[in-house]
Amino acid sequence: MDIDTITAISTPIGEGAIAIVRLSGQEAVPISNRLFQGVDLTKVNSHTIHYGKIIDPITNEVAEEVMVNVMRGPRTFTREDVVEINCHGGIASVNRLLELVLAEGARLAEPGEFTKRAFLNGRIDLSQAEAVMDLIRAKTDKAMNVALKQMDGRLSKLIQKLRQELLETVAHVEVNIDYPEYDDVEEMTHDMLIKKTNEVYHEIEKLLQMAKQGKILREGLSTAIIGRPNVGKSSLLNALVHENKAIVTDIPGTTRDVIEEYVNIRGIPLRLVDTAGIRETEDIVERIGVEKSRQVLKEADLILLVLNFGDELTEEDVNLFKVVEGLDIIVIVNKTDLEQKIDIDRIKKFANGRPVITTALIEEIGIDELEQAIANTFFAGELDAGDLTYVSNVRHIQLLKQALQSLTDAMSGIEDGMPIDLVQIDITRTWELLGEIIGDTVQESLIDQLFSQFCLGK
Amino acid sequence: MTYDAGHYDVIVIGGGHAGCEAAYAAAHRGAKTLMLTLNLDMLAFMPCNPSIGGPAKGVVVREIDALGGLMGKVIDKTYIQMRMLNTGKGPAVRALRAQADKPLYIQEMKSILENERNLTLRQAMVERLIVEDGVCKGVITETKAAYYADSVVITTGTFMRGRVIIGDLSYESGPNNQRASVKLSEHLEELGFELVRFKTGTPPRVNSHTIDYSKTEIQPGDDNPRHFSYETTEAILDQIPCWLTYTNEFTHKVIDENLNLSAMYSGMIKGTGPRYCPSIEDKVVRFNDKPRHQIFLEPEGRNTEEIYVQGLSTSMPEYVQREMLRTIPGLENSEIMRAGYAIEYDSVVPTQLWPTLELKAIPGLFTAGQINGTSGYEEAAGQGLMAGINAASRAMGRESFILDRSQAYIGVMIDDLVTKGTNEPYRLLTSRAEYRLLLRHDNADIRLTEIGYNIGMISEERYKLFAEKKLLIEKEQERLADVMLKPTEEVQKVIENSGGTALKEAIRALELLKRPEIKYEMIEQLTPAEQELPWDVKEQVEIQIKYQGYIAKSNQQVERMLKMENKIIPENIDYDDISGIATEAKEKFKKVRPLSVGQASRISGVNPSDVSILLVYIEQGRIARVSNE
């Protein structure tokens, strides 16, 4: 009966070897199918399970290895079409999956919404009705409270500030419309509008950037070390581990028992990943080819590319640069204790603006610079974990992204010379979306703003 | 003792802007209708500013016309000036405004009503309603006449327990020293209705001969006036200008020094005034950093010397008004003809109404206009029309008629009133309409003519013309979607002249028209239609194509809204039976009695979880019925 397709992570977060993202609604199967590489899910029998891969449709990279359960209504919990995507447990992978599903058009379910749909579609009998209503009440209120409490006080203040700025802008536009002859009020121009939207745009962008940083703080920065044989990859690892007292964790229960090593670099937890055996397989490019290695490496947040100061740049090195094009890398030219044969200028050209550090790891030279470069890459050099205003709630991040999108629409409207009162539709929408984050979307406030900000009337 | 004075289908009490539309609509739909009004010389009188239309309000006038109402037709015949406002902005907010000839407007309206079959006009003061078994059956006048009817519409404006205040002078009165209606108001209270006290005000009028216009700026009308009614074909060309002047520090000083004498500030006035129509003393106090305020000098008609001093609404004593006026450039020697005044009056708390404008507590009784807490002639007329249509529906056993928020400003207004109520006199603003891009001045006919036709308000002939226009619009859009324009010299030149970037390859005419700098005339020049199209067809084609993206976005929002609007709440729902709804929401639901889940969600103080629970409860009822069968 509801047109929306809803989705949520339906297993406890961060626990268990497997996590499940569930979708319910008319679009559940088509959405899953658009992300799924394997059989055509729209054609499979109901209540069957399928192995395959989830592909990020924008980058075309493999995001997850999954098992997908397809269950068609009405023989499901909600009586709608339901798809359950089983992926590896662990916050990062399941969040990524959820984000992809949301990006494909599903809406994040409200608390208790699956149950509500089950009820509305007649799945639950009458005797359970009251319990369901209590549940919705409790869950919705609680979720709102929790979300609000979760939210950093500074974040909510910042959002309120952005909303106020937007509101003043909108009120200004409205006044021009409703009181066209009042010369007390300056006419809002495209230039004024672009300035305002730009300011807010950057603030939201910063929030999203910090959300990414927040994620890094919680989950660690997945880091891969690559390079030709014998350039000093092991020394690099040892140096980082030695310097920073590596925590070696063994996270059991996932299908591939991955060994991950955490080191703490200036407050940033570096997670030295070895899921694809990148670090140990020295000749990755040769083994699986440029494109494949690229896909594997894209999963890392940071790549440390190690070169030999005492050798000329080889074709293999050049291939590695191709592989990491556009990714976050730090180039480490190691073994400065040897006689220089490498052309640093050429490397800088290949690095294309990304940091190049020279080290002699055996002699423990250059490690400081390297650590600084790592910190710079992700926090513009100013990391103070205690002072970050970051958004952690998926719903909030989703709303911020939508807000950014509607601001983008507004800005392109301005560029196309659309009338201000049309552009304003998108600005108002942004204001509403930001309001949803802090639970305030009362339309009346616009009219109040109108009359307190301007002297109007006949 | 009363005497039986006659039986009607519909009785309308009041002959203002709401009353005239209500009586006409009911009669025009075929209901035998009686209008009772205090003074037949004052039909559709404008007690405040001599103008009709403006942003949002002007669109309402167009909507009234598309639904077969009168306001547009009457003003088109009696304006002294016409201006299109917001021409530099988008099509959604363009707004027509007319300066009215007040006496002529009355004459024209009276003549139309007098000639309407099924409508009887009578001068009378209504004192009581006849209510039997909780249903309204008629009215009783002060002359003891008892009139019976299936539907009664009250449109008494600011007359109910009206009180005029000028400085420390205060007396019982309707606007412009007409008789106040006291007994009816008391009677409504007796019947259990919740009334609220509102206030509004009006500025002084001065004699035109005593104004030095050389010190003011002229404000002329448009050279090619547009019109409100889709039936109007002839323009009035000898328009009369308005004039603009400003208050200054001396004016503000007079106000400051006499503030304690203003009824607004001395505590004389208890009612709530509208924020969008503040008195000059309010403006000076609240925005004391403003060095000046605009004052528009507006003629009240062609054959009168009275000038309405717009911007100087006040409740100061008469001598202070005179002193204030004389500080203003051009008004140094002005003579007041009528002093400005504030007026307090009773209005009905509008959440007591169904969206049909029928009162929930007493079937057969409707209210419309300023009595429902609104302000403005257009707002009143829009409600009057809707109440008249629904009053006739009830009497004739036809379906009731409600416009939703995506169909008309009238729908936005009535939904706001009956769902949220209002704590100040309500005025329509474009910002109240969330789908204002769909509720344009230019497309009121496309939105509403068919509806007007179906309820018997639009003639066969007019409907035919409308259908032809609609067809032409569709055909031309289809044609432009087919025509490919190649980057020929001619095409590039037209684009270049408009300041656009040259074509790289052939493009559909429709796509080219989407560019902001391209006008329909340019397209027409490059690829003319088979026959010359009427200007309003061209206008529609251009707007619908140019703003397609935004229009589509609005339509999506409407779809989402309608989904909730179509979830109907059963009439007999017992909110006390629903566990889990917060007490505040429960009280609101009981009071407003929303017709749909959509309406329920718009009530202020209702949380999303309350709406969810309501939804679940309704579905539960549905399931219960299914399983009982």
Side-chain angles (χ1 to χ4, degrees):
Chain A
M1 50 178 294
D2 273 289
I3 294 171
D4 290 3
T5 292
I6 53 172
T7 185
I9 300 171
S10 51
T11 43
I13 305 275
E15 299 164 29
I18 293 174
I20 296 174
V21 170
R22 178 155 64 177
L23 294 90
S24 177
Q26 285 174 12
E27 289 290 307
V29 180
I31 286 173
S32 312
N33 197 47
R34 287 201 289 276
L35 296 169
F36 187 71
Q37 192 181 66
V39 290
D40 184 348
L41 296 177
T42 61
K43 302 226 167 85
V44 301
N45 288 332
S46 185
H47 294 74
T48 52
I49 191 158
H50 307 274
Y51 168 80
K53 288 181 176 122
I54 293 294
I55 309 287
D56 183 333
I58 293 169
T59 58
N60 265 328
E61 65 189 87
V62 176
E64 267 299 314
E65 236 182 317
V66 294
M67 299 288 284
V68 178
N69 247 319
V70 176
M71 293 165 282
R72 295 186 185 278
R75 277 199 308 136
T76 63
F77 175 56
T78 58
R79 294 212 163 167
E80 300 172 332
D81 288 355
V82 169
V83 173
E84 290 179 351
I85 306 176
N86 298 253
C87 68
H88 299 120
I91 302 165
S93 46
V94 72
N95 267 345
R96 174 118 193 256
L97 183 54
L98 181 65
E99 277 169 26
L100 288 175
V101 170
L102 291 172
E104 276 302 313
R107 172 173 67 72
L108 195 64
E110 289 156 25
E113 200 172 1
F114 283 98
T115 317
K116 183 173 123 192
R117 286 202 177 184
F119 178 79
L120 290 182
N121 295 332
R123 176 71 168 70
I124 298 173
D125 71 35
L126 279 174
S127 61
Q128 288 169 279
E130 276 192 18
V132 173
M133 285 189 263
D134 287 346
L135 189 73
I136 293 173
R137 159 107 262 147
K139 276 200 172 179
T140 320
D141 289 356
K142 201 169 159 197
M144 189 51 108
N145 285 338
V146 169
L148 286 177
K149 269 189 198 153
Q150 257 180 8
M151 203 160 60
D152 187 294
R154 277 164 304 179
L155 175 63
S156 117
K157 267 202 197 118
L158 179 60
I159 295 214
Q160 272 163 14
K161 190 183 130 250
L162 294 180
R163 288 194 86 218
Q164 186 58 29
E165 274 170 32
L166 291 173
L167 189 63
E168 281 168 21
T169 309
V170 171
H172 193 149
V173 176
E174 295 291 344
V175 154
N176 290 159
I177 294 166
D178 275 319
Y179 296 89
E181 287 169 305
Y182 278 79
D183 59 5
D184 287 7
V185 186
E186 193 184 353
E187 187 81 16
M188 175 70 85
T189 61
H190 278 97
D191 284 347
M192 286 158 74
L193 210 54
I194 198 96
K195 194 166 157 268
K196 279 275 172 204
T197 45
N198 252 325
E199 281 167 20
V200 178
Y201 185 92
H202 288 305
E203 289 288 337
I204 297 178
E205 212 179 26
K206 218 156 78 189
L207 275 178
L208 282 170
Q209 178 63 27
M210 287 202 250
K212 194 176 153 202
Q213 292 172 0
K215 188 175 154 227
I216 289 168
L217 284 179
R218 285 192 313 282
E219 293 165 14
L221 187 70
S222 67
T223 309
I225 302 174
I226 59 169
R228 280 190 295 120
N230 206 24
V231 291
K233 295 194 296 293
S234 304
S235 318
L236 175 59
L237 179 68
N238 287 337
L240 290 174
V241 168
H242 175 72
E243 277 285 297
N244 299 288
K245 298 195 181 65
I247 320 144
V248 181
T249 59
D250 184 353
I251 299 174
T254 46
T255 47
R256 300 165 291 179
D257 276 354
V258 182
I259 302 287
E260 291 178 331
E261 290 166 61
Y262 278 89
V263 295
N264 190 323
I265 305 284
R266 311 218 164 162
I268 303 170
L270 233 60
R271 189 158 45 92
L272 299 163
V273 218
D274 188 25
T275 43
I278 297 164
R279 185 155 43 82
E280 279 163 13
T281 313
E282 316 234 301
D283 53 352
I284 171 178
V285 179
E286 199 173 297
R287 191 166 57 91
I288 59 176
V290 173
E291 261 320 296
K292 267 272 162 67
S293 348
R294 194 176 159 72
Q295 278 187 16
V296 173
L297 285 174
K298 265 188 183 166
E299 287 182 16
D301 295 320
L302 174 66
I303 296 153
L304 303 177
L305 169 58
V306 189
L307 303 170
N308 190 340
F309 188 77
D311 275 344
E312 287 197 21
L313 211 58
T314 67
E315 197 180 324
E316 254 179 280
D317 291 329
V318 174
N319 269 339
L320 283 174
F321 272 114
K322 273 186 199 151
V323 167
V324 299
E325 210 176 283
L327 304 180
D328 275 319
I329 63 163
I330 294 174
V331 181
I332 298 157
V333 186
N334 191 26
K335 303 192 182 180
T336 49
D337 46 329
L338 301 180
E339 189 194 335
Q340 178 171 2
K341 286 199 178 145
I342 204 156
D343 179 352
I344 295 278
D345 285 342
R346 205 169 152 221
I347 291 170
K348 284 193 173 152
K349 214 178 262 170
F350 277 119
N352 197 13
R354 292 167 295 185
V356 177
I357 310 286
T358 50
T359 59
L361 289 166
I362 300 285
E363 322 258 317
E364 296 188 6
I365 293 171
I367 295 176
D368 257 10
E369 286 85 344
L370 173 60
E371 292 189 352
Q372 192 54 46
I374 292 172
N376 286 350
T377 307
F378 284 88
F379 295 103
E382 297 165 33
L383 177 66
D384 182 356
D387 198 33
L388 277 177
T389 304
Y390 69 81
V391 197
S392 57
N393 183 304
V394 182
R395 191 180 78 90
H396 295 165
I397 292 176
Q398 200 61 30
L399 285 166
L400 282 175
K401 283 185 179 163
Q402 286 175 33
L404 208 59
Q405 183 55 49
S406 58
L407 263 188
T408 311
D409 290 350
M411 289 156 92
S412 62
I414 296 171
E415 268 169 33
D416 291 347
M418 282 292 168
I420 283 178
D421 52 283
L422 292 185
V423 173
Q424 185 245 310
I425 294 175
D426 288 315
I427 298 180
T428 306
R429 179 75 192 131
T430 311
W431 175 75
E432 285 170 357
L433 286 164
L434 291 180
E436 277 180 45
I437 295 179
I438 55 172
D440 173 18
T441 49
V442 189
Q443 192 68 36
E444 271 96 52
S445 43
L446 172 59
I447 291 173
D448 291 338
Q449 181 69 32
L450 218 63
F451 293 114
S452 60
Q453 194 176 339
F454 302 101
C455 175
L456 301 166
K458 44 196 178 182
Chain B
M1 268 306 289
T2 59
Y3 76 98
D4 183 340
H7 292 245
Y8 294 85
D9 292 329
V10 174
I11 294 172
V12 176
I13 308 170
H17 300 282
C20 288
E21 297 288 350
Y24 175 81
H28 206 74
R29 293 192 73 197
K32 188 182 166 202
T33 304
L34 170 70
M35 178 199 273
L36 296 171
T37 180
L38 285 176
N39 186 343
L40 278 171
D41 294 332
M42 302 292 267
L43 286 180
F45 174 63
M46 299 182 197
C48 201
N49 58 327
S51 76
I52 281 181
K57 291 161 165 276
V59 184
V60 170
V61 183
R62 295 279 274 183
E63 290 171 355
I64 290 170
D65 187 69
L67 289 168
L70 296 178
M71 185 172 248
K73 288 185 190 74
V74 177
I75 185 63
D76 281 354
K77 283 205 177 132
T78 59
Y79 64 90
I80 61 170
Q81 182 192 110
M82 191 71 87
R83 272 183 90 176
M84 183 65 94
L85 306 172
N86 284 335
T87 47
K89 303 194 180 82
V93 297
R94 270 169 225 159
L96 196 58
R97 192 194 54 208
Q99 295 301 131
D101 185 317
K102 285 187 180 180
L104 261 188
Y105 192 92
I106 292 175
Q107 280 179 30
E108 180 66 28
M109 182 64 84
K110 192 169 179 218
S111 148
I112 292 178
L113 293 184
E114 282 170 347
N115 290 300
E116 181 64 23
R117 269 183 328 132
N118 300 329
L119 178 58
T120 306
L121 305 179
R122 188 152 304 156
Q123 191 161 296
M125 164 81 90
V126 172
E127 291 194 332
R128 297 181 68 79
L129 302 170
I130 303 168
V131 179
E132 287 169 10
D133 303 326
V135 178
C136 186
K137 301 275 188 189
V139 304
I140 297 170
T141 68
E142 64 180 348
T143 55
K144 308 296 175 221
Y147 296 95
Y148 295 86
D150 295 318
S151 305
V152 173
V153 186
I154 309 180
T155 68
T156 47
T158 59
F159 282 76
M160 290 217 307
R161 259 192 303 226
R163 174 161 287 275
V164 161
I165 304 139
I166 307 172
D168 57 356
L169 170 68
S170 147
Y171 55 92
E172 196 171 85
S173 171
N176 201 32
N177 292 345
Q178 299 180 78
R179 291 174 69 196
S181 171
V182 177
K183 291 211 169 137
L184 186 59
S185 196
E186 286 167 0
H187 181 59
L188 288 179
E189 232 163 23
E190 264 170 50
L191 289 171
F193 290 114
E194 193 185 338
L195 304 181
V196 66
R197 201 91 176 132
F198 279 163
K199 169 256 161 188
T200 187
T202 191
R205 275 68 151 176
V206 298
N207 188 318
S208 182
H209 292 307
T210 64
I211 297 175
D212 180 358
Y213 289 110
S214 69
K215 294 182 177 165
T216 65
E217 293 166 34
I218 191 163
Q219 303 270 300
D222 292 342
D223 292 337
N224 293 309
R226 300 278 294 266
H227 294 100
F228 285 105
S229 174
Y230 290 89
E231 290 180 26
T232 301
T233 48
E234 272 175 54
I236 297 172
L237 292 173
D238 58 330
Q239 297 187 44
I240 297 177
C242 296
W243 307 85
L244 171 63
T245 179
Y246 296 91
T247 62
N248 51 43
E249 55 186 303
F250 301 109
T251 327
H252 300 178
K253 194 162 160 259
V254 172
I255 292 167
D256 270 341
E257 281 168 0
N258 292 288
L259 206 54
N260 59 326
L261 301 175
S262 160
M264 278 295 294
Y265 285 85
S266 66
M268 288 275 293
I269 291 177
K270 301 275 187 298
T272 314
R275 283 174 297 179
Y276 47 80
C277 194
S279 59
I280 185 69
E281 43 266 40
D282 237 7
K283 287 195 234 178
V284 170
V285 170
R286 287 185 50 220
F287 295 90
N288 60 7
D289 56 325
K290 295 246 176 254
R292 62 179 200 175
H293 297 278
Q294 285 168 309
I295 300 291
F296 292 93
L297 303 173
E298 305 179 349
E300 296 232 322
R302 265 171 215 284
N303 303 311
T304 168
E305 298 305 322
E306 271 191 86
I307 299 292
Y308 180 92
V309 186
Q310 204 227 86
L312 211 71
S313 173
T314 181
S315 59
M316 285 283 191
E318 193 177 282
Y319 72 92
V320 181
Q321 295 187 24
R322 180 180 143 116
E323 208 179 320
M324 272 158 52
L325 281 166
R326 294 190 163 188
T327 60
I328 298 171
L331 301 176
E332 292 89 344
N333 299 307
S334 61
E335 288 292 344
I336 292 178
M337 291 180 73
R338 299 176 208 219
Y341 60 86
I343 182 166
E344 278 191 317
Y345 54 96
D346 284 351
S347 61
V348 170
V349 172
T351 48
Q352 298 171 99
L353 298 162
W354 294 117
T356 55
L357 299 181
E358 186 174 7
L359 282 146
K360 290 163 196 167
I362 300 188
L365 182 60
F366 298 75
T367 54
Q370 210 149 358
I371 186 179
N372 287 343
T374 60
S375 139
Y377 313 139
E378 305 82 352
E379 285 88 342
Q383 290 172 66
L385 177 73
M386 297 301 283
I389 289 170
N390 280 311
S393 281
R394 180 182 155 85
M396 303 190 306
R398 306 261 289 270
E399 248 178 72
S400 56
F401 176 49
I402 298 169
L403 291 168
D404 72 42
R405 300 183 74 87
S406 68
Q407 285 176 300
Y409 269 98
I410 296 175
V412 171
M413 166 175 66
I414 293 177
D415 182 63
D416 277 349
L417 289 172
V418 305
T419 308
K420 297 176 181 162
T422 180
N423 42 28
E424 67 179 325
Y426 176 99
R427 174 191 165 160
L428 264 175
L429 298 161
T430 61
S431 42
R432 294 198 197 268
E434 48 281 71
Y435 318 113
R436 74 168 171 224
L437 182 52
L438 306 178
L439 307 183
R440 302 189 306 272
H441 167 92
D442 59 86
N443 72 351
D445 60 337
I446 296 177
R447 289 185 273 132
L448 300 170
T449 307
E450 179 137 14
I451 299 175
Y453 174 72
N454 289 335
I455 57 172
M457 291 294 294
I458 294 290
S459 69
E460 199 70 45
E461 190 192 350
R462 177 164 166 188
Y463 181 66
K464 241 189 213 157
L465 285 173
F466 163 72
E468 277 167 29
K469 174 181 170 184
K470 217 174 132 191
L471 192 68
L472 283 177
I473 295 167
E474 279 162 23
K475 284 219 158 134
E476 180 62 359
Q477 291 201 57
E478 280 167 22
R479 186 181 77 85
L480 296 183
D482 281 342
V483 171
M484 292 296 286
L485 292 172
K486 298 200 180 84
T488 60
E489 208 171 304
E490 188 201 4
V491 171
Q492 302 289 37
K493 193 153 189 198
V494 167
I495 294 172
E496 194 186 308
N497 288 345
S498 66
T501 42
L503 290 185
K504 289 197 187 71
E505 51 194 32
I507 185 174
R508 288 183 198 283
L510 181 132
E511 293 301 323
L512 186 61
L513 185 52
K514 280 187 186 168
R515 291 192 180 180
E517 70 277 5
I518 302 293
K519 300 266 171 288
Y520 177 83
E521 296 91 75
M522 303 176 191
I523 300 287
E524 192 182 22
Q525 196 186 325
L526 299 172
T527 164
E530 259 174 56
Q531 63 190 87
E532 171 78 16
L533 296 169
W535 67 269
D536 54 340
V537 170
K538 294 181 191 175
E539 182 190 44
Q540 266 322 294
V541 169
E542 176 165 336
I543 290 173
Q544 289 188 19
I545 291 177
K546 202 171 271 313
Y547 303 107
Q548 211 171 51
Y550 285 98
I551 292 173
K553 216 183 271 184
S554 290
N555 277 326
Q556 277 171 12
Q557 286 176 345
V558 169
E559 245 170 65
R560 253 175 287 168
M561 178 225 19
L562 288 181
K563 226 170 68 187
M564 295 304 270
E565 227 56 30
N566 292 335
K567 292 192 199 300
I568 302 300
I569 298 175
E571 217 173 301
N572 57 0
I573 190 164
D574 177 4
Y575 289 104
D576 284 326
D577 188 40
I578 312 176
S579 64
I581 292 186
T583 315
E584 190 198 352
K586 205 177 270 188
E587 289 312 311
K588 292 264 170 80
F589 285 154
K590 281 201 253 181
K591 191 171 173 190
V592 174
R593 289 159 75 188
L595 297 180
S596 68
V597 175
Q599 193 192 349
S601 68
R602 286 192 294 275
I603 300 172
S604 42
V606 167
N607 293 318
S609 54
D610 299 317
V611 177
S612 290
I613 291 165
L614 178 63
L615 201 60
V616 168
Y617 181 85
I618 294 167
E619 285 304 316
Q620 180 189 343
R622 191 178 61 83
I623 295 162
R625 280 194 301 282
V626 173
S627 39
N628 285 342
E629 275 160 16

